[in-house]
Amino acid sequence: MAKKGRVARILTTLHRVAGTPVSEALKRRQRSAVQRGDAGTHSGSVSKWRKRKDRERRREQFEGAAKETGLPHGYHSGMRVLLVGEGNLSFALALITLFDGDGSNLLVTSLDRQRVARAAYPYCEDVEESIEASG
């Protein structure tokens, strides 16, 4: 079975330097790569190593933003936030509380109509007034 990727390139180079013959399977793989037009290029898939590094980098960015602002996940009042399908609007009120009462960059929607939401959630009217008063 032919070696893939970086190992194949290293082996090919070693064979050329040493003057030893390259395996037929490796030759076939190289020929088909040239015919496909992707010789010497990456196949487009991201390696597990790269995915892990990207995940670690994003986690460090979130942690850094949380330390910088003192808020979870790097939330800050300058962010524009869209909340879709908020039931009793409690999460929106929690974000406004985190933003020191500034809700000007917050857009909140609910699945229920206003009358239905007020009937379903006893404190919904008070929460709505608080959100509207914040901006």
Side-chain angles (χ1 to χ4, degrees), residues 69-72 75-78 92-104 106 130-131 133-135:
T69 62
L71 300 174
Y75 285 124
H76 57 85
S77 60
L93 187 61
L95 280 180
I96 291 170
T97 305
L98 279 175
F99 296 164
D100 295 325
D102 181 20
S104 58
L106 196 66
S130 300
I131 291 172
S134 71

Side-chain angles (χ1 to χ4, degrees), residues 80 84 117:
R80 296 174 64 187
V84 179

Side-chain angles (χ1 to χ4, degrees), residues 47-74:
S47 67
K48 290 180 183 178
W49 179 86
R50 173 54 52 202
K51 288 179 184 178
R52 187 175 66 243
K53 288 296 181 184
D54 289 343
R55 208 172 23 249
E56 289 172 2
R57 182 181 46 78
R58 283 192 304 270
R59 186 179 308 123
E60 288 172 3
Q61 286 176 344
F62 279 130
E63 289 171 357
K67 288 177 186 172
E68 191 176 294
T69 62
L71 300 174
H73 302 291

Side-chain angles (χ1 to χ4, degrees), residues 87-91 93 114-131:
N88 61 357
L89 308 175
S90 61
F91 185 70
L93 187 61
Q114 190 174 27
R115 185 176 50 230
V116 175
R118 286 181 177 175
Y121 307 109
Y123 300 107
C124 190
E125 188 172 353
D126 296 333
V127 173
E128 282 177 18
E129 290 173 5
S130 300
I131 291 172

